[in-house]
């Protein structure tokens, strides 16, 4: 068992109060598994990623544990986490393209980063991995501003995995890429796993079709909580949570046009995480909501490895 | 005609002494008319964002002309009253030191100083709701306190506060979940019926197809195919367009690699120089992908 997250609660402190961005998340990730993480914008996906690697000043660990390869991650202790970053857990942040230092050429940046981790660059290996994501070696001699959004994104991907972390969290890494590069990068990520550069992966994305292609399991979050988790096929073909179903219904496949058939998003908006309502958080928007939904639905394993938090699943 | 690009080329000098150069955009010509969405698709590094920046006057073109309502496109307050851009990386549009909603105040200060405060606040809230944001959840927060998709929508809301005629939208929906994305697209479609022109830069072909009247396919800085969206998607003429279409991840199908194309329509029809108009309004470049 590679990653176990239990009852994880991480909040942001703000002047108005606590934003409960992760409000009791539990899940597991096996060795070699790729977990796709989807959910409405603002539901806590990036917060989950950041919690496993570096909490920013306003985040705080309210409860729960994270165990990686049998060792507890000291997620609340920024200094102790240094031993784990890059080597055990690595994050490719959302908007990684703006995370690059603009004053350094890529080669120098890689060298400095590795030096700060006490190792040196294996140039051949670096180029081999760049090649795997379709980047020519000339990119090393450029400044970030001289690269397109997608090129920077792929460069960060290579850098983040150079030290072969056990767990890689990829936050929206393919969102900025055209479909053919996306396909290449998705295959490269699978390759990273198959070549053992990374053991397991959390792949955060809004693209359900793409996740379905590369993830073994898909986890759907809603408003800081787990809504549903199952094998990728089950989520796509036989989802049980009303939110998952509506999300799948709002996907445009190639061929659907506004002028001919208007797709609809899910009416309403998610609850504020500052003071989330009691009971099921999807209640206001759920077509199936009933009286029992005033009580919070527990996460139940309704079939082997299929977890759902809904009274009516 | 609202926006017209004619033979636009952009070269960047790179390296410490500007010794080398890359041609990011190569003789690109197309128009956007009022009430029309034109989607610009193409691989990473093909020059899409560069075209967006040229239109917004953020970089000068090396050669060619860009006109808006007949006048050269030039950065400035008047131009930005009608033309707005939203970029790929929303964080870069916010100053981390200030609250995110300062972007609205700045619009008011430059363009609507006479509007009374309460009325302005009402407009801001309405605009936020249009992009499916709950005003109480996002107003008064710093950029780092908002998620990527929330920031992106804040910028869309800002652009909508102005009486714009043209919106350059660079991958604005890529960080939004499927449901919010559809809401934003439907909103753009509605604005389109009121006369807004949109250059919709996207890598998501199904979204481009959903919304756009016309599609321009870019590769290595040059246009390889353009025309009405249903023609480009329904009957793609260029091998690169076919490759793109085959790479679209579909929910219930595996990826298939496209069959290679062995004949070049462009040469078969004896075309030379520029694009071949294969059928009315549907243009294609040589399949060799290199200039010929
Ligand atoms: N530093 C912060 N202070 C206060 N609230 C925050 C902070 N960072 C994030 N939030 C809030 O926490 C919630 C979760 O944010 P998070 O970035 O994890 O969302 P996300 O699921 O990654 O969204 P997206 O898909 O848009 O990237 C959001 O409602 C956001 O507004
Ligand atoms: N300021 C710059 N200086 C030098 N080269 C640049 C600059 N901006 C862009 N380029 C180069 O121009 C080309 C086109 O970049 P652009 O950002 O327009 O691509 P894009 O189509 O938007 O790609 P993506 O889909 O990855 O965002 C790339 O090769 C890039 O390296
Ligand atoms: S618990 Fe009730 S409100 Fe929540 S998703 Fe299920 S049916 Fe809907
Ligand atoms: Mg995020
Ligand atoms: Mg770009």
């Amino acid at each position: 068992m590679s990653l176990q997250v239990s009852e994880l609660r991480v909040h942001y402190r703000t002047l108005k109060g606590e934003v409960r961005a992760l409000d009791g998340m539990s899940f597991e990730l096996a060795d070699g598994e790729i977990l796709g993480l989807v959910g409405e914008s603002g539901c806590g996906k990036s917060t989950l990623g950041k919690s496993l690697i570096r909490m920013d000043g306003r985040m705080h660990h309210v409860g729960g544990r994270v165990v990686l390869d049998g060792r507890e991650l000291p997620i609340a202790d920024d200094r102790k986490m240094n031993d784990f970053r890059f080597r055990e857990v690595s994050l490719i942040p959302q908007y990684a393209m703006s995370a690059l230092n603009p004053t350094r050429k890529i080669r120098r940046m890689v060298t400095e980063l590795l030096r700060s981790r006490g190792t040196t660059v294996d140039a051949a290996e670096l180029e081999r991995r760049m090649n795997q994501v379709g980047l020519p070696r000339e990119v090393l001699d450029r400044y970030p501003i001289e690269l397109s959004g997608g090129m920077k994104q792929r460069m960060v991907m290579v850098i983040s995995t150079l030290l072969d972390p056990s767990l890689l969290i990829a936050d929206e890494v393919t969102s900025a890429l055209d479909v053919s590069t996306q396909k290449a990068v998705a295959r490269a990520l699978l390759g990273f796993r198959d070549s053992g550069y990374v053991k397991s992966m959390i792949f955060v994305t809004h693209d359900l079709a793409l996740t379905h292609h590369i993830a073994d399991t898909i986890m759907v979050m809603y408003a800081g909580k787990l809504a549903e988790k199952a094998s990728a096929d089950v989520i796509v073909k036989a989802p049980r949570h009303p939110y998952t179903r509506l999300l799948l219904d709002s996907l445009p496949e190639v061929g659907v046009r506004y002028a001919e058939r208007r797709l609809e998003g899910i009416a309403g908006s998610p609850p504020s995480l500052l003071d989330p309502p009691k009971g099921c958080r999807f209640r206001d928007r759920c077509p199936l909501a009933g009286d029992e939904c005033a009580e919070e639905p527990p996460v139940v394993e309704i079939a082997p490895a299929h977890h759902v938090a809904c009274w009516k699943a | 005609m609202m926006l017209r690009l004619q033979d636009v080329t952009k070269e960047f000098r790179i390296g410490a002494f500007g010794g080398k150069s890359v041609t990011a955009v190569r003789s690109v010509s197309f128009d956007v008319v009022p009430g029309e969405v034109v989607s610009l698709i193409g691989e990473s590094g093909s020059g899409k964002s560069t075209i967006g920046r040229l239109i917004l006057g953020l970089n000068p073109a090396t050669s060619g002309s860009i006109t808006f309502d007949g006048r050269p496109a030039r950065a400035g307050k008047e131009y930005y009253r009608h033309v707005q851009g939203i970029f790929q990386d929303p964080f870069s549009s916010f100053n981390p030191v200030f609250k995110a909603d300062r972007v609205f105040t700045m619009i008011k200060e430059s363009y609507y100083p006479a509007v009374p405060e309460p009325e302005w606040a009402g407009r801001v809230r309405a605009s936020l709701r249009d992009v499916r944001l709950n005003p109480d959840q996002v107003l008064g927060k710093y950029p780092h306190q908002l998620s990527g998709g929330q920031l992106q929508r804040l910028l869309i809301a800002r652009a909508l506060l102005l009486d714009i005629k043209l919106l350059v939208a660079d991958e604005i929906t890529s960080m939004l979940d499927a449901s919010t994305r559809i809401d934003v697209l439907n909103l753009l479609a509605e604005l389109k019926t009121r006369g807004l022109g949109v250059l919709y830069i996207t890598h998501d072909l199904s979204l481009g197809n959903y919304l756009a009247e016309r599609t321009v396919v870019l590769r290595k800085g040059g246009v390889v195919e353009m025309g009405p969206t249903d023609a480009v998607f329904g009957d793609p003429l260029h091998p690169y367009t076919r490759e793109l279409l085959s790479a679209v991840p579909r929910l219930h199908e595996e990826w298939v690699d496209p069959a290679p194309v062995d004949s070049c329509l462009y040469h078969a029809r004896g075309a030379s120089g520029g694009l071949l108009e294969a059928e009315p309004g549907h243009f294609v470049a040589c399949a060799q992908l290199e200039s010929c």
Side-chain angles (χ1 to χ4, degrees), chain B residues 36-208:
Chain B
E36 179 187 49
V37 177
V38 173
S39 84
L40 186 57
I41 61 180
E43 66 190 350
S44 172
S46 61
K48 305 181 296 296
S49 300
T50 305
I51 291 179
R53 296 178 60 81
L54 293 173
I55 293 171
L56 288 160
L58 299 171
N59 289 127
T62 309
S63 63
S65 81
I66 302 179
T67 54
F68 180 75
D69 281 344
R71 284 183 295 276
R74 196 157 289 136
K77 184 172 158 187
E78 266 322 292
Y79 187 57
Y80 291 143
R81 187 190 292 277
H82 302 304
V83 182
Q84 284 281 315
I86 305 173
F87 282 95
Q88 226 167 344
D89 165 14
F91 281 106
S92 62
S93 303
F94 290 92
N95 183 333
V97 182
F98 296 107
K99 289 193 174 146
D101 47 29
R102 195 173 97 111
V103 297
F104 299 124
T105 319
M106 285 163 67
I107 292 288
K108 174 165 171 25
E109 282 167 2
S110 330
Y111 295 100
Y112 301 104
V115 175
E117 208 48 69
E119 187 193 329
W120 181 255
R123 285 197 208 172
V124 168
R125 296 177 80 86
S127 184
L128 287 171
R129 275 190 292 266
D130 275 345
V131 294
R132 295 273 179 229
L133 282 175
N134 175 347
D136 297 320
Q137 257 179 64
V138 297
L139 292 173
K141 284 196 168 176
Y142 288 95
H144 69 261
Q145 297 181 318
L146 296 167
S147 78
Q150 290 168 329
L151 286 173
Q152 193 67 282
R153 280 177 285 164
L154 225 56
L155 292 173
I156 303 172
R158 175 186 68 166
L160 300 182
L161 280 168
L162 285 163
D163 186 20
I164 54 170
K165 294 184 182 167
L166 175 73
L167 178 69
V168 176
D170 191 353
E171 304 280 10
I172 58 168
T173 44
S174 57
M175 300 284 178
L176 303 179
D177 59 275
S179 154
T180 313
R181 194 181 275 176
I182 284 301
D183 289 333
V184 169
L185 290 185
N186 286 342
L187 174 71
L188 288 181
E190 232 168 76
L191 293 168
K192 172 174 96 164
T193 59
R194 289 191 242 147
L196 180 73
V198 182
L199 180 64
Y200 184 70
I201 300 176
T202 185
H203 62 261
D204 192 324
L205 303 188
S206 45
L207 298 184

Side-chain angles (χ1 to χ4, degrees), chain A residues 251-267:
Chain A
L251 282 184
E253 292 266 311
V254 175
V256 178
R257 312 210 51 188
Y258 176 81
E260 292 146 17
R261 180 157 79 86
R262 217 182 138 149
L263 293 167
E264 293 293 337
I266 307 170

Side-chain angles (χ1 to χ4, degrees), chain A residues 267-299:
Chain A
S269 53
S272 162
L273 298 176
L274 258 178
D275 189 15
K278 299 246 173 322
C280 176
R281 293 188 176 178
F282 190 53
R283 207 168 138 212
D284 285 352
R285 305 167 80 185
C286 181
L288 301 183
D291 290 342
E292 64 271 57
C293 308
E295 244 2 271
E296 184 177 329
V299 178

Side-chain angles (χ1 to χ4, degrees), chain A residues 12-14 19 21 39-48 50 56 58 94 171-172 206 273, chain B residues 137 141 144-150 175:
Chain A
Y12 293 97
R13 283 200 191 93
T14 70
V19 176
E40 193 139 351
S41 167
C43 73
K45 302 179 299 296
S46 297
T47 305
L48 176 63
K50 287 190 277 180
D56 69 41
R58 286 182 190 73
Q94 195 174 9
D171 196 351
E172 303 275 8
H206 286 305
L273 298 176
Chain B
Q137 257 179 64
K141 284 196 168 176
H144 69 261
Q145 297 181 318
L146 296 167
S147 78
Q150 290 168 329
M175 300 284 178

Side-chain angles (χ1 to χ4, degrees), chain A residues 2-313:
Chain A
S2 145
L3 179 77
Q4 288 157 290
V5 174
S6 38
E7 279 303 305
L8 186 61
R9 282 171 211 278
V10 174
H11 297 179
Y12 293 97
R13 283 200 191 93
T14 70
L15 288 176
K16 293 185 189 158
E18 301 263 301
V19 176
R20 301 158 166 235
L22 286 184
D23 211 7
M25 285 286 295
S26 304
F27 64 94
E28 290 179 349
L29 189 59
D31 271 351
E33 182 175 342
I34 297 183
L35 173 75
L37 177 56
V38 301
E40 193 139 351
S41 167
C43 73
K45 302 179 299 296
S46 297
T47 305
L48 176 63
K50 287 190 277 180
S51 299
L52 301 184
I53 185 131
R54 171 173 278 133
M55 302 241 206
D56 69 41
R58 286 182 190 73
M59 285 167 88
H60 68 122
H61 179 199
V62 178
R65 303 174 66 206
V66 179
V67 176
L68 180 65
D69 295 333
R71 284 196 291 168
E72 176 152 6
L73 281 185
I75 59 168
D77 189 328
D78 190 57
R79 216 171 35 84
K80 281 202 190 133
M81 274 303 288
N82 261 334
D83 296 342
F84 295 88
R85 288 185 195 119
F86 281 106
R87 293 186 186 284
E88 304 297 332
V89 202
S90 203
L91 170 74
I92 311 174
Q94 195 174 9
Y95 304 107
M97 41 187 143
S98 42
L100 295 171
N101 181 342
T103 65
R104 294 272 192 281
K105 283 194 181 164
I106 304 289
R107 185 189 303 280
R108 176 143 170 231
M109 195 161 12
V110 177
T111 313
E112 288 178 353
L113 182 87
L114 290 186
R115 191 182 303 139
S116 78
R117 301 281 138 194
T119 66
T120 51
V121 187
D122 174 346
E125 183 63 19
L126 177 62
E127 281 173 24
R128 210 161 56 77
R129 292 189 186 192
M130 285 172 68
N131 187 31
Q132 236 175 7
V133 295
L135 286 176
R137 75 146 82 79
E138 289 82 57
V139 164
L140 289 172
D141 296 309
R142 295 222 198 157
Y143 289 98
I145 193 187
E146 298 172 341
L147 303 176
S148 77
M151 290 157 97
K152 283 187 260 190
Q153 185 74 59
R154 281 175 281 160
M155 197 60 230
V156 176
M157 201 169 113
V158 169
I159 298 174
S160 313
T161 49
L162 268 181
L163 296 182
D164 297 349
S166 170
L167 173 66
L168 175 69
I169 303 155
D171 196 351
E172 303 275 8
V173 288
T174 52
S175 314
L177 304 175
D178 66 277
V179 283
S180 45
T181 313
Q182 206 174 60
K183 178 168 144 191
V185 165
R187 283 180 172 166
L189 282 173
L190 285 173
F192 279 16
R193 189 250 330 246
D194 298 339
S195 331
Y197 301 163
V198 302
K199 246 197 281 179
S200 46
M201 196 182 314
I202 299 179
F203 181 77
V204 182
T205 181
H206 286 305
D207 194 331
L208 275 160
L210 182 68
T211 338
H212 184 218
H213 282 289
I214 80 159
D216 304 304
T217 36
I218 296 179
M219 175 158 80
V220 184
M221 277 181 77
Y222 188 79
K225 287 180 175 292
L226 187 148
E228 182 162 14
K229 178 175 179 276
S231 73
D233 257 353
V234 167
I235 290 286
V236 167
K237 300 204 176 104
R240 297 289 290 273
H241 197 286
Y243 174 67
T244 317
R245 292 187 192 178
L246 290 170
L247 194 63
L248 283 160
D249 285 344
S250 54
L251 282 184
E253 292 266 311
V254 175
V256 178
R257 312 210 51 188
Y258 176 81
E260 292 146 17
R261 180 157 79 86
R262 217 182 138 149
L263 293 167
E264 293 293 337
I266 307 170
S269 53
S272 162
L273 298 176
L274 258 178
D275 189 15
K278 299 246 173 322
C280 176
R281 293 188 176 178
F282 190 53
R283 207 168 138 212
D284 285 352
R285 305 167 80 185
C286 181
L288 301 183
D291 290 342
E292 64 271 57
C293 308
E295 244 2 271
E296 184 177 329
V299 178
V300 176
E301 187 164 5
I302 57 161
H306 189 171
H307 303 263
V308 189
C310 169
W311 292 116
K312 307 227 169 135

